[in-house]
Amino acid sequence: MSEQGHSAEGRGRDFDAVIVGAGFAGLYMLHKMKSAGLSACVFETGDGVGGTWYWNSYPGARCDVPSMEYSYQFDEDLQQEWEWTERYSSQGEILSYLEHVTDRFGLRPHIRFNTKVSAASFNEESGDWAIETDDGDQVSSQFLIMATGCLSARFTPEIEGMDSFEGALAHTGNWPKDGIDVAGKRVGVIGTGSSGIQVAPMLAREAGELFVFQRSPAFSVPSQNKPLDAAEQKAIKARYADFRAEAKRSRAGILYGLGEGSALDADAALLKEEFEKRWQAGGLGFTAAFHDLFDTVEANGTAADFVRDKISEIVKDPEVAEALTPHTLIGCKRLCVDAGYYDTFNRENVTLVDLRKGAIERFTGTGIIVGGSEVPLDVVVLATGFDALTGALLRVDIKGRGGVTLKEKWSEGPKTYLGHSISGFPNLFAITGPGSPSVLSNLVPSIEQDVDWVGRCIAHMREHGHQVIEATPDAEEEWVAHVSEVAHRSIYPLEDSWYVGSNVPGKPRVFLPYIGFPDFVERCNKVADQGYTGYGLS
Ligand code: N01
């Protein structure tokens, strides 16, 4: 490692900062550390950069935040020069962008690929972290920065006989780099969240037969993706700073154009007109049609009813349409964005397997047994999601003060201060961790917000000769209570979803993200401006 031994403090440690993960967060964090003259190293499990966009290379993988917003803004030249080709970028284009960023800022030599961080423990005497990798290496660092992503720890359900399946089996979150040949084959997809909804229409075009195994139907709205208009791109770039600033003032940090009216004040004609406008415009702005769709069950129901009607219009077989129709709140389990998902079920080679009528019993060597009979399959795609927000952090054996593990500390749910700091775990930062806006915001600006905050904090420590920073237990308790209180002002926590951890058996039910990007930024800035209130510095 080129930076080894160049600690600014000369205290004999290997690095000032070890960063885990080379996705959007890890790359920018590395750039920040390098720019500040610190020695830093990124450890990355994969053999390339990209994080989420490296692993989720399944057919149809695409972002559902517009390209002009789902990109870095820390470097004006970068954002002016990069040309996005579509309104919503494909996985491949985002990966090319991140590779470009890596080389443009000279980051590659400071990334150790094919190396998984397995454990980290805080040394109370030296104030450093000892970090172990799965190849048996150990390095020391003052700061440990977990840039491990919100949706990176794959969730694979335990289904009897899965290992004995003789066909091809892949999780969407770990798609084989040379793809899977599905042409003319019998293909099964388990799961109908965002990943399943994106992959199914693509597989249906190639497969001989596609079987979609659905346990819970999901709400999805069309993306209406299209090539990005050159004039539109130019106009945004002409005022990019203002455009970004405007986005940051919105609830999710995305320019959805939140409707000013209440759904409860609108009559049937206005509801239909507004929702239809949003449906035609495409994307997640659908649930911003009225300002109160996440405030009350009644308001939310107006949007849910509209999509239910759409499903029955699109899907020709009424029985299949009914099986695809969720009778839940909309958007409280992450809203999906698709390219022809419901219409896929009008194809002759596509079958919906409704698991509410008969659960998956087990795999055989040649298929899946459902409700007593076998669905023969050549390929099975697990679109079964992630152990969101906490999974990637807890899968590393992290030990803080007194040898207390993060797993022990979070046994009843995650506790953080501002989403990135954890009492008892000094000098550790989690980028877009639980208790931050993260998955309820545009993740790239949220990442930049956290990285900038951590960068400023470390600079403050250097300036004032501090070696160790740690959130106080009181500040953490208050933050956890605040995150929960804000969440419970909305109807989000009412629904089962990965937002509350209910998709992973045994995971404590806690609403994980913080609702409200502008409020979060204000609070974080205030803490820094006031000299890091809620922290102990020594
Ligand atoms: O995961 P999910 P995902 N038997 O948890 C089912 C982001 N993302 O990977 O609902 C049968 O949403 C499970 O069923 P149920 C986005 O934030 C973004 O799709 O628990 N089924 C569910 O249907 C998204 O929300 C993009 O009853 C089983 C599915 O698997 C997040 O990632 C694209 C099962 C999991 O859905 C996660 O999405 C992709 C079992 N034993 C992902 N276990 C875009 O930017 C689980 N399921 C567009």
Side-chain angles (χ1 to χ4, degrees):
M1 272 285 131
S2 56
E3 298 283 23
Q4 202 146 348
H6 287 268
S7 163
E9 302 294 315
R11 300 184 73 220
R13 58 174 79 102
D14 296 314
F15 298 102
D16 293 322
V18 159
I19 300 158
V20 188
F24 267 100
L27 293 175
Y28 181 42
M29 194 73 240
L30 176 60
H31 173 63
K32 186 104 219 149
M33 295 288 100
K34 270 174 45 64
S35 308
L38 273 75
S39 65
C41 173
V42 167
F43 289 93
E44 166 56 51
T45 308
D47 65 7
V49 299
T52 287
W53 302 104
Y54 169 91
W55 297 103
N56 289 267
S57 58
Y58 58 85
R62 185 178 292 285
C63 188
D64 57 12
V65 173
S67 312
M68 296 302 289
E69 297 187 63
Y70 194 82
S71 47
Y72 290 121
Q73 57 193 287
F74 70 82
D75 187 277
E76 182 59 15
D77 290 342
L78 171 69
Q79 70 172 359
Q80 286 296 334
E81 287 165 22
W82 185 265
E83 298 279 327
W84 295 105
T85 64
E86 294 179 89
R87 180 184 185 198
Y88 296 107
S89 301
S90 65
Q91 170 269 334
E93 191 161 336
I94 299 174
L95 192 57
S96 303
Y97 170 75
L98 289 172
E99 277 165 3
H100 168 77
V101 169
T102 304
D103 292 325
R104 184 188 176 109
F105 295 100
L107 304 177
R108 212 172 284 275
H110 311 285
I111 305 173
R112 205 182 282 185
F113 292 104
N114 299 307
T115 311
K116 192 176 187 156
V117 168
S118 49
S121 54
F122 183 68
N123 181 326
E124 293 186 50
E125 260 172 48
S126 66
D128 288 343
W129 283 90
I131 296 138
E132 286 171 43
T133 62
D134 63 354
D135 54 13
D137 201 6
Q138 196 180 77
V139 296
S140 57
S141 173
Q142 183 178 11
F143 296 102
L144 173 61
I145 302 173
M146 301 299 287
T148 39
C150 301
L151 293 153
S152 49
R154 291 181 288 279
F155 170 69
T156 300
E158 281 179 25
I159 303 175
E160 193 191 321
M162 200 187 280
D163 290 346
S164 66
F165 181 61
E166 288 157 16
L169 179 81
H171 193 291
T172 45
N174 187 15
W175 198 255
K177 289 295 162 225
D178 41 7
I180 298 179
D181 179 14
V182 297
K185 297 193 171 153
R186 293 173 64 88
V187 180
V189 174
I190 303 178
T192 53
S194 298
S195 305
I197 275 174
Q198 284 188 328
V199 80
M202 300 297 287
L203 296 175
R205 291 183 202 169
E206 299 268 322
E209 281 193 74
L210 179 72
F211 297 85
V212 178
F213 295 85
Q214 173 194 271
R215 190 166 65 181
S216 316
F219 281 112
S220 188
V221 295
S223 68
Q224 316 287 18
N225 186 39
K226 56 185 178 190
L228 194 55
D229 180 54
E232 188 191 339
Q233 182 153 195
K234 203 169 159 205
I236 291 173
K237 284 184 176 177
R239 54 176 296 272
Y240 225 153
D242 288 346
F243 176 85
R244 298 289 202 173
E246 207 180 305
K248 282 184 180 172
R249 288 193 289 274
S250 73
R251 183 169 58 189
I254 307 177
L255 287 169
Y256 289 139
L258 183 63
E260 283 171 14
S262 158
L264 299 179
D265 292 341
D267 62 17
L270 182 60
L271 287 172
K272 192 157 190 222
E273 186 189 324
E274 286 301 315
F275 288 132
E276 186 64 38
K277 228 190 282 169
R278 298 273 175 163
W279 182 273
Q280 295 307 331
L284 295 169
F286 180 80
T287 46
F290 294 92
H291 72 77
D292 55 353
L293 295 180
F294 293 99
D295 292 350
T296 64
V297 171
E298 294 72 27
N300 187 278
T302 62
D305 282 345
F306 179 88
V307 180
R308 284 191 273 264
D309 288 347
K310 282 284 182 195
I311 298 170
S312 69
E313 279 168 30
I314 297 168
V315 182
K316 295 193 179 111
D317 180 328
E319 240 179 79
V320 178
E322 178 47 35
L324 284 166
T325 301
H327 293 283
T328 57
L329 299 168
I330 185 169
C332 297
K333 182 175 192 171
R334 172 63 151 75
L335 182 62
C336 303
V337 177
D338 68 277
Y341 175 68
Y342 295 123
D343 191 37
T344 295
F345 293 91
N346 293 325
R347 294 177 66 108
E348 289 203 343
N349 68 334
V350 176
T351 305
L352 181 70
V353 183
D354 188 346
L355 299 176
R356 292 167 301 182
K357 291 187 179 156
I360 293 179
E361 289 165 24
R362 62 187 166 87
F363 273 79
T364 63
T366 53
I368 293 178
I369 307 278
V370 174
S373 43
E374 186 185 60
V375 180
L377 295 165
D378 305 308
V379 176
V380 173
V381 174
L382 298 167
T384 46
F386 301 90
D387 183 351
L389 281 123
T390 54
L393 296 165
L394 292 174
R395 287 181 193 185
V396 179
D397 182 19
I398 301 178
K399 290 194 181 82
R401 279 195 197 282
V404 174
T405 66
L406 190 59
K407 212 173 256 171
E408 288 162 348
K409 160 117 190 177
W410 283 4
S411 60
E412 288 169 14
K415 291 185 162 74
T416 67
Y417 179 41
L418 305 176
H420 47 59
S421 303
I422 306 162
S423 144
F425 295 77
N427 290 2
L428 181 148
F429 296 105
I431 305 300
T432 62
S436 79
S438 56
V439 292
L440 283 180
S441 68
N442 180 0
L443 265 163
V444 185
S446 265
I447 283 167
E448 288 184 308
Q449 157 68 27
D450 273 3
V451 168
D452 288 345
W453 192 95
V454 170
R456 183 179 167 192
C457 173
I458 291 176
H460 173 91
M461 289 174 69
R462 301 251 143 175
E463 207 182 307
H464 294 84
H466 297 307
Q467 288 297 324
V468 177
I469 183 162
E470 182 179 355
T472 67
D474 285 353
E476 185 177 80
E477 280 305 319
E478 270 173 41
W479 184 254
V480 170
H482 174 62
V483 172
S484 170
E485 191 261 320
V486 172
H488 286 87
R489 272 186 235 152
S490 79
I491 55 168
Y492 273 107
L494 298 182
E495 206 66 70
D496 279 352
S497 77
W498 58 258
Y499 289 147
V500 293
S502 63
N503 63 322
V504 176
K507 188 165 172 169
R509 191 183 180 103
V510 171
F511 191 78
L512 296 165
Y514 180 77
I515 301 174
F517 181 73
D519 195 29
F520 178 77
V521 172
E522 199 184 313
R523 282 166 188 269
C524 288
N525 289 346
K526 195 167 157 200
V527 166
D529 291 346
Q530 294 181 345
Y532 297 90
T533 43
Y535 285 95
L537 283 148
S538 57

